[in-house]
Amino acid sequence: MRTVMVLATGGTIATRSNATGEAVARASGAELVERLAAAGDVRVQVDDVFRIGSYLMTLERMRTLALRAQEHLREKDVAGLVITHGTDTAEETALFLDLFLHDERPVVLTGAQRPADAPDSDGPRNLSDAVTVAAQPSSRGLGTLIVFDGSVFAAGGTRKSHTTASSTFASPDGGLLGWVRGGTVHLTQASRPRLRLDLSAMDPSRARVDIVACYPGADATALHAFAAAGARGIVLEATGAGNANAAICEAVSELTASGVVVATSTRVAAGPVAAIYGNGGGADLLAAGAVPTGVLRPPQARVLLAALLGVHADPCAAREALAAYTTG
């Protein structure tokens, strides 16, 4: 019999309404698993790690979750892990785990868009699908996955695309790996190479990374303020294919020279960051020292850069690793 370990962290899948009608993460992992349909050859066990809304997730909590996942993966009879998680920041946690968990067995994040006490809650089906994927041998080697509304996504490049729809997750740049139908997993992609970082070397105290939005007329105030507050890395949420303006480019050059790692992402839903335009555009940002982040949007670009800065005390090493990840 295969064992799937469910690590519960809270999120909408665990929420119930309180006396004032507010949704609060209250259901335990055991309560969530109780609603699963019995699977004859899969044994489900539960570990309650957190019970929070995922908007309260932090790098420290992600590290704690990764350490707990490592502990369970030391058990040889565990076929895979399922992590119940809020949808607000599932994309960040998924990428963090993908970077630091090196086991070939699947680690699957899932959750819900409707509370546990809603009559039409989508949590039970999503959890059942996630357990099915985690127990499936063909899921090995795919890294951390997000399973939601019948779809299977790779961690990198997947993001929440709708605030309330049940089919909220999307991966416009090719991260859809398959689907789950009637208890059967259909995967269209095989194992893939992944960056493997050392979790024991990850120090969240040196991993502050902030996100700065670029917009018409933006100046460098936020960039300098975050650097002064101790940011060792900054992600630009640039316009278009990764553009800003001359003032932003000048600040990027100054910050890069001082040891702050600057990465360029974009506010656009799909497509890669590309160094095309001058006069303050992506080509000038690249010349100023910013590192393009490919198809990663700002939330995941921040997690990647924070992970690299947490592992590498030398910002130059983190910058080189970031460039290698996003171009390789």
Side-chain angles (χ1 to χ4, degrees), residues 60-73:
E60 290 81 2
R61 284 175 167 155
M62 291 179 198
R63 183 176 181 275
T64 296
L65 179 59
L67 288 168
R68 193 75 67 87
Q70 278 188 341
E71 290 177 12
H72 291 297
L73 288 171

PDB file of all heavy atoms in Angstrom, residues 60-73:
ATOM      1  N   GLU A  60      10.364  32.528   6.051  1.00  0.00           N
ATOM      2  CA  GLU A  60      10.674  31.669   7.204  1.00  0.00           C
ATOM      3  C   GLU A  60       9.706  30.489   7.271  1.00  0.00           C
ATOM      4  O   GLU A  60      10.111  29.352   7.544  1.00  0.00           O
ATOM      5  CB  GLU A  60      10.620  32.481   8.500  1.00  0.00           C
ATOM      6  CG  GLU A  60      11.742  33.490   8.660  1.00  0.00           C
ATOM      7  CD  GLU A  60      11.506  34.794   7.901  1.00  0.00           C
ATOM      8  OE1 GLU A  60      10.430  34.935   7.255  1.00  0.00           O
ATOM      9  OE2 GLU A  60      12.391  35.674   7.944  1.00  0.00           O
ATOM     10  N   ARG A  61       8.419  30.748   7.031  1.00  0.00           N
ATOM     11  CA  ARG A  61       7.439  29.665   7.057  1.00  0.00           C
ATOM     12  C   ARG A  61       7.630  28.710   5.886  1.00  0.00           C
ATOM     13  O   ARG A  61       7.440  27.505   6.021  1.00  0.00           O
ATOM     14  CB  ARG A  61       6.021  30.242   7.073  1.00  0.00           C
ATOM     15  CG  ARG A  61       5.631  30.785   8.449  1.00  0.00           C
ATOM     16  CD  ARG A  61       4.278  31.462   8.433  1.00  0.00           C
ATOM     17  NE  ARG A  61       3.812  31.684   9.805  1.00  0.00           N
ATOM     18  CZ  ARG A  61       2.952  32.625  10.169  1.00  0.00           C
ATOM     19  NH1 ARG A  61       2.470  33.467   9.246  1.00  0.00           N
ATOM     20  NH2 ARG A  61       2.580  32.754  11.425  1.00  0.00           N
ATOM     21  N   MET A  62       8.001  29.236   4.734  1.00  0.00           N
ATOM     22  CA  MET A  62       8.294  28.355   3.603  1.00  0.00           C
ATOM     23  C   MET A  62       9.454  27.420   3.944  1.00  0.00           C
ATOM     24  O   MET A  62       9.429  26.230   3.620  1.00  0.00           O
ATOM     25  CB  MET A  62       8.638  29.178   2.357  1.00  0.00           C
ATOM     26  CG  MET A  62       7.490  29.948   1.761  1.00  0.00           C
ATOM     27  SD  MET A  62       8.027  30.896   0.306  1.00  0.00           S
ATOM     28  CE  MET A  62       6.683  32.069   0.149  1.00  0.00           C
ATOM     29  N   ARG A  63      10.471  27.973   4.599  1.00  0.00           N
ATOM     30  CA  ARG A  63      11.621  27.152   4.990  1.00  0.00           C
ATOM     31  C   ARG A  63      11.190  26.088   5.998  1.00  0.00           C
ATOM     32  O   ARG A  63      11.606  24.922   5.903  1.00  0.00           O
ATOM     33  CB  ARG A  63      12.733  28.027   5.565  1.00  0.00           C
ATOM     34  CG  ARG A  63      14.000  27.262   5.931  1.00  0.00           C
ATOM     35  CD  ARG A  63      15.090  28.216   6.400  1.00  0.00           C
ATOM     36  NE  ARG A  63      16.307  27.481   6.722  1.00  0.00           N
ATOM     37  CZ  ARG A  63      16.562  26.907   7.894  1.00  0.00           C
ATOM     38  NH1 ARG A  63      15.663  26.982   8.872  1.00  0.00           N
ATOM     39  NH2 ARG A  63      17.691  26.259   8.093  1.00  0.00           N
ATOM     40  N   THR A  64      10.369  26.457   6.962  1.00  0.00           N
ATOM     41  CA  THR A  64       9.868  25.482   7.937  1.00  0.00           C
ATOM     42  C   THR A  64       9.097  24.373   7.241  1.00  0.00           C
ATOM     43  O   THR A  64       9.261  23.181   7.560  1.00  0.00           O
ATOM     44  CB  THR A  64       8.961  26.179   8.967  1.00  0.00           C
ATOM     45  OG1 THR A  64       9.738  27.131   9.707  1.00  0.00           O
ATOM     46  CG2 THR A  64       8.339  25.180   9.930  1.00  0.00           C
ATOM     47  N   LEU A  65       8.263  24.741   6.294  1.00  0.00           N
ATOM     48  CA  LEU A  65       7.489  23.748   5.548  1.00  0.00           C
ATOM     49  C   LEU A  65       8.416  22.828   4.759  1.00  0.00           C
ATOM     50  O   LEU A  65       8.207  21.608   4.714  1.00  0.00           O
ATOM     51  CB  LEU A  65       6.515  24.465   4.606  1.00  0.00           C
ATOM     52  CG  LEU A  65       5.640  23.599   3.713  1.00  0.00           C
ATOM     53  CD1 LEU A  65       4.760  22.660   4.535  1.00  0.00           C
ATOM     54  CD2 LEU A  65       4.780  24.484   2.800  1.00  0.00           C
ATOM     55  N   ALA A  66       9.437  23.392   4.128  1.00  0.00           N
ATOM     56  CA  ALA A  66      10.385  22.578   3.364  1.00  0.00           C
ATOM     57  C   ALA A  66      11.122  21.601   4.271  1.00  0.00           C
ATOM     58  O   ALA A  66      11.348  20.433   3.904  1.00  0.00           O
ATOM     59  CB  ALA A  66      11.369  23.476   2.623  1.00  0.00           C
ATOM     60  N   LEU A  67      11.507  22.052   5.452  1.00  0.00           N
ATOM     61  CA  LEU A  67      12.180  21.153   6.397  1.00  0.00           C
ATOM     62  C   LEU A  67      11.260  20.015   6.822  1.00  0.00           C
ATOM     63  O   LEU A  67      11.695  18.857   6.925  1.00  0.00           O
ATOM     64  CB  LEU A  67      12.643  21.940   7.628  1.00  0.00           C
ATOM     65  CG  LEU A  67      13.833  22.883   7.418  1.00  0.00           C
ATOM     66  CD1 LEU A  67      14.000  23.805   8.621  1.00  0.00           C
ATOM     67  CD2 LEU A  67      15.110  22.085   7.168  1.00  0.00           C
ATOM     68  N   ARG A  68       9.989  20.326   7.072  1.00  0.00           N
ATOM     69  CA  ARG A  68       9.049  19.285   7.452  1.00  0.00           C
ATOM     70  C   ARG A  68       8.855  18.299   6.298  1.00  0.00           C
ATOM     71  O   ARG A  68       8.767  17.085   6.502  1.00  0.00           O
ATOM     72  CB  ARG A  68       7.719  19.912   7.845  1.00  0.00           C
ATOM     73  CG  ARG A  68       6.751  18.955   8.548  1.00  0.00           C
ATOM     74  CD  ARG A  68       7.165  18.697   9.982  1.00  0.00           C
ATOM     75  NE  ARG A  68       7.049  19.895  10.796  1.00  0.00           N
ATOM     76  CZ  ARG A  68       5.931  20.269  11.430  1.00  0.00           C
ATOM     77  NH1 ARG A  68       4.853  19.513  11.362  1.00  0.00           N
ATOM     78  NH2 ARG A  68       5.907  21.363  12.149  1.00  0.00           N
ATOM     79  N   ALA A  69       8.779  18.820   5.075  1.00  0.00           N
ATOM     80  CA  ALA A  69       8.645  17.947   3.907  1.00  0.00           C
ATOM     81  C   ALA A  69       9.849  17.025   3.778  1.00  0.00           C
ATOM     82  O   ALA A  69       9.712  15.830   3.481  1.00  0.00           O
ATOM     83  CB  ALA A  69       8.476  18.791   2.642  1.00  0.00           C
ATOM     84  N   GLN A  70      11.045  17.561   4.010  1.00  0.00           N
ATOM     85  CA  GLN A  70      12.249  16.731   3.964  1.00  0.00           C
ATOM     86  C   GLN A  70      12.167  15.582   4.966  1.00  0.00           C
ATOM     87  O   GLN A  70      12.570  14.449   4.664  1.00  0.00           O
ATOM     88  CB  GLN A  70      13.490  17.574   4.254  1.00  0.00           C
ATOM     89  CG  GLN A  70      14.034  18.334   3.073  1.00  0.00           C
ATOM     90  CD  GLN A  70      15.371  18.982   3.390  1.00  0.00           C
ATOM     91  OE1 GLN A  70      15.755  19.173   4.545  1.00  0.00           O
ATOM     92  NE2 GLN A  70      16.103  19.348   2.342  1.00  0.00           N
ATOM     93  N   GLU A  71      11.663  15.867   6.164  1.00  0.00           N
ATOM     94  CA  GLU A  71      11.542  14.828   7.176  1.00  0.00           C
ATOM     95  C   GLU A  71      10.661  13.686   6.682  1.00  0.00           C
ATOM     96  O   GLU A  71      11.004  12.510   6.835  1.00  0.00           O
ATOM     97  CB  GLU A  71      10.949  15.415   8.462  1.00  0.00           C
ATOM     98  CG  GLU A  71      11.865  16.356   9.210  1.00  0.00           C
ATOM     99  CD  GLU A  71      11.186  16.945  10.431  1.00  0.00           C
ATOM    100  OE1 GLU A  71      10.098  16.444  10.815  1.00  0.00           O
ATOM    101  OE2 GLU A  71      11.725  17.907  11.004  1.00  0.00           O
ATOM    102  N   HIS A  72       9.534  14.013   6.088  1.00  0.00           N
ATOM    103  CA  HIS A  72       8.620  12.970   5.630  1.00  0.00           C
ATOM    104  C   HIS A  72       9.187  12.200   4.433  1.00  0.00           C
ATOM    105  O   HIS A  72       8.916  11.005   4.269  1.00  0.00           O
ATOM    106  CB  HIS A  72       7.263  13.573   5.281  1.00  0.00           C
ATOM    107  CG  HIS A  72       6.510  14.059   6.484  1.00  0.00           C
ATOM    108  ND1 HIS A  72       6.100  13.212   7.493  1.00  0.00           N
ATOM    109  CD2 HIS A  72       6.089  15.300   6.843  1.00  0.00           C
ATOM    110  CE1 HIS A  72       5.456  13.916   8.422  1.00  0.00           C
ATOM    111  NE2 HIS A  72       5.438  15.186   8.052  1.00  0.00           N
ATOM    112  N   LEU A  73       9.974  12.876   3.608  1.00  0.00           N
ATOM    113  CA  LEU A  73      10.555  12.200   2.453  1.00  0.00           C
ATOM    114  C   LEU A  73      11.687  11.250   2.848  1.00  0.00           C
ATOM    115  O   LEU A  73      12.159  10.472   2.013  1.00  0.00           O
ATOM    116  CB  LEU A  73      11.053  13.232   1.435  1.00  0.00           C
ATOM    117  CG  LEU A  73       9.939  13.983   0.683  1.00  0.00           C
ATOM    118  CD1 LEU A  73      10.515  15.130  -0.130  1.00  0.00           C
ATOM    119  CD2 LEU A  73       9.151  13.028  -0.223  1.00  0.00           C
TER     120      LEU A  73
END
